[in-house]
Structure formats: C-alpha cells, structure tokens
Amino acid sequence: DRILISGDGSTVIDGQLTVRGADNLTVRDLTITGSGNGVNASVARIRLINVHLVGNDDYGMALRHGGMISMRNGSVMHNHGGIGVLIENGHGQLTNVEVSGNDGAGIVVNVNGNLTMIGGNVTYHWNATGITASLSSSVELEGVSVDYNLVGMSVANGSAARNNDSTFNENADVGMLVESGTVGLNNVEISGNRAGIAASMAKIYLESVHVLNSTERGIDVAASSGLIFYGGSVIGSGDAGVVVDNGSSFAAEGVAISESADSGVRVGWNSNADIVACEISNNGQGIRRRGGLLVSTSSSATFSSSELFGNGTGVIVTRQSFVDLRDGTVVSENVSDGLRLTYDSGVVGNDPIPPNGSGYGVYC
C-alpha cells in the first residue's frame, strides 16, 4: 500500500505492471509497453498520472474483481490484445485520456462495472466498438469525443449510460447502439454515421441532441423501445429521420426533423407517436407516398401545435392506422398532397388542410 512509482516523462517500463490487493498505488510520468497487459489489476486502488499504455501485446489496462483505477492526462493506444481498457466489476475514472487505435474495442465496461470519463477521446477502432457497456454496467461521459470507430458506443444487457456535451461522429456503422439498455443524452452531436441511434428493447432520453447526416436512418427504435426527445434536430438522413417500429413509442417536443430522403418520421407495426411543437419539413420531396409523417400497420400518431411543410406529402396514414392533428397543427405547402389516407385508416383534425402542391389538401 501507498507506493509511488515515478518516472521523468521519458521513462519506459518494458513489461506488465501487475497489482493485486494494493491500496493507494500511484504511477506517474512514464510509459508501459511490451508483453502482457500494460496494467493488470484486481481488488486494488490505483492512480495513473501522465501514464501512457502503448503497444502492449495484450490489453492496455485491465481491472477485474473489484477495485478502482483513476487515470489522468495519459493515453491507451495501439495495444494488440483486443481491448484498450477493460473495467470488469470495478470502477474506472478517466480524465483527459486518449484511447485510440487499439486492435479491438477501445473501452469495455462489463459485469457490474462502471466508468466515468471526463474529456479525452475514444477514436480509430475501425473494426470494433469505441465504448461498450454490458451486463448491468454503467458509463457516464462528459465532453468526450467518440469518433471514427465501427460503432461509437454500445449499451446492452441491462446497462445504462449518460452522456453530456459529447460527440459520436463519423463511426462507420452506428453512432449509438442500445439493446436492452437505457441511455440519456444531453447536448450531444451524432453526425456522419450510417445510423445515428439504433435501439431495441431500450429506453432513450434525448435533450438538445442533434443527429445529422446519417447515411441511412437518423434514429431507429424497435422491439418495444421508448424514445423521448426534447429539443434538437434530425437533419439530412439518407433514409428516414426517425423510425418507430414493432410496438415502440416516440414522444417529441420542440424537435426539427428535415431533409430526409424518405420520411421525416415513420411509425409502424403497432407503434405510436406524440409530437408537440415540432417542425417536420423538406422530407421525401421526390416521393409522393413518403414525406413528413408516415403512419402504417395499426399504428397511431398525435400532432399538436406542429408544422409539416415542404415534404413530398405532409402526412400519410395507411393500413388501419390513425392520426390526430390538433391545436393549430399546420399541414401546408407540401410538394404533393397535404394528407393521404388509404386502407381503412382515419384522421381527426381541428383545422382545415388547404390544397398543397398537387391541388389536394386531403387525398383518400
């Protein structure tokens, strides 16, 4: 206990640092590289200050079976064993740390582990996930860049994540993947991924989140998931902006959804949406049967105090579905029809829908 290992900034340890049951070990101002894990610890409390775990044959850092590792102003880079940082049934705290270019995943938090990361980045894991939380674990990010990975972040198997002031940009597949987990995002940018957010059997809470330029879907929630979205935007999706499917629910207030190649919002297969004070514009402009809102297959949606304009069609309701347009919701100036109803579907509205680009306000 209470050991200090101090270098001079250029000091290199060639080999593994193993810590078992030690309390208050401090390591500072050095690099660890070589065979094994850079740091291999269990049931220990360790502080790493200006330490670089680089080029190790196994993990950069592994904490198992309880304990805590705190790392400040260092890096975990180009390690070859599959994971940069492993936190398993313990606690990790990373402050201004770069986790980059490891052969497998950047950070894995597993088996009731938890991680707090403030500042820094998790980048360039092209064949793996930047950050994974699994098996009842938790992750909190504050001001972290999770960019240029295969998947930015995965939250699964009863785990939870909270992310503030962070980015999930230019990940090759999904920015944020949630499977049987819970995620809260505040003031987060998710840009340039194949899909911004993909979720199943999940709970997603978004506030001031911007999902931009996804090559396919911006947000895709399915399999009895719930999505709550306050403020922010979904812009420039290559397919649909927001997809709510297979018994899922979507509640939005003050959100702008625009410039999707297909639908702005698509609600299907026994799902529902409650949309308040939102602007849905310029979606699906080249497709008459796509546009601002598509509700299909025994689904429903309620629009309050919202605007739908500049879309291919403003609202499409089909296959035994139902839409309620209320409280001054405006459906106008869409390229084709304002409202299109087919296959035993219905709508209730308090305000008239004027003729849109095709000359129809309502087409049945």
Side-chain angles (χ1 to χ4, degrees), residues 28-244:
R28 62 183 307 150
D29 300 327
L30 53 79
T31 296
I32 301 175
T33 189
S35 62
N37 301 314
V39 174
N40 191 28
S42 62
V43 199
R45 295 180 62 200
I46 305 169
R47 288 180 295 175
L48 307 175
I49 303 169
N50 193 30
V51 171
H52 304 276
L53 309 174
V54 179
N56 295 280
D57 292 340
D58 211 329
Y59 300 168
M61 174 169 64
L63 173 67
R64 299 181 176 93
H65 312 304
M68 187 272 287
I69 288 184
S70 172
M71 186 175 191
R72 181 183 295 272
N73 298 338
S75 63
V76 184
M77 301 174 62
H78 307 302
N79 298 287
H80 306 302
I83 299 174
V85 176
L86 173 66
I87 306 293
E88 190 171 271
N89 193 27
H91 174 68
Q93 181 169 326
L94 307 181
T95 304
N96 297 327
V97 172
E98 180 179 359
V99 181
S100 180
N102 300 284
D103 283 2
I107 300 173
V108 174
V109 187
N110 209 3
V111 192
N112 300 301
N114 62 85
L115 169 70
T116 300
M117 187 170 183
I118 301 171
N121 60 70
V122 184
T123 56
Y124 298 113
H125 302 95
W126 290 115
N127 299 311
T129 301
I131 301 173
T132 295
S134 186
L135 298 173
S136 302
S137 297
S138 64
V139 172
E140 182 173 355
L141 306 182
E142 185 83 34
V144 178
S145 298
V146 187
D147 307 332
Y148 304 106
N149 306 285
L150 178 61
V151 173
M153 184 172 187
S154 171
V155 180
N157 305 118
S159 297
R162 185 171 65 180
N163 303 324
N164 302 315
D165 303 310
S166 297
T167 66
F168 297 82
N169 294 342
E170 303 294 338
N171 297 285
D173 191 24
V174 182
M176 174 74 64
L177 177 64
V178 190
E179 298 173 309
S180 301
T182 302
V183 167
L185 307 180
N186 180 47
N187 195 30
V188 167
E189 179 181 295
I190 303 174
S191 178
N193 308 282
R194 180 189 65 78
I197 299 173
S200 62
M201 294 185 289
K203 303 298 180 186
I204 312 292
Y205 304 89
L206 309 179
E207 185 170 354
S208 299
V209 171
H210 300 277
V211 182
L212 309 174
N213 302 320
S214 304
T215 57
E216 294 183 12
R217 296 176 177 180
I219 301 175
D220 187 351
V221 294
S224 302
S225 294
L227 170 63
I228 298 175
F229 197 168
Y230 293 103
S233 62
V234 182
I235 298 174
S237 302
D239 181 35
V242 178
V243 176
V244 186

Side-chain angles (χ1 to χ4, degrees), residues 310-330:
N311 306 287
T313 290
V315 180
I316 304 105
V317 192
T318 185
R319 300 185 184 280
Q320 298 82 47
S321 296
F322 183 81
V323 168
D324 186 350
L325 304 174
R326 60 173 67 172
D327 300 331
T329 292
V330 176

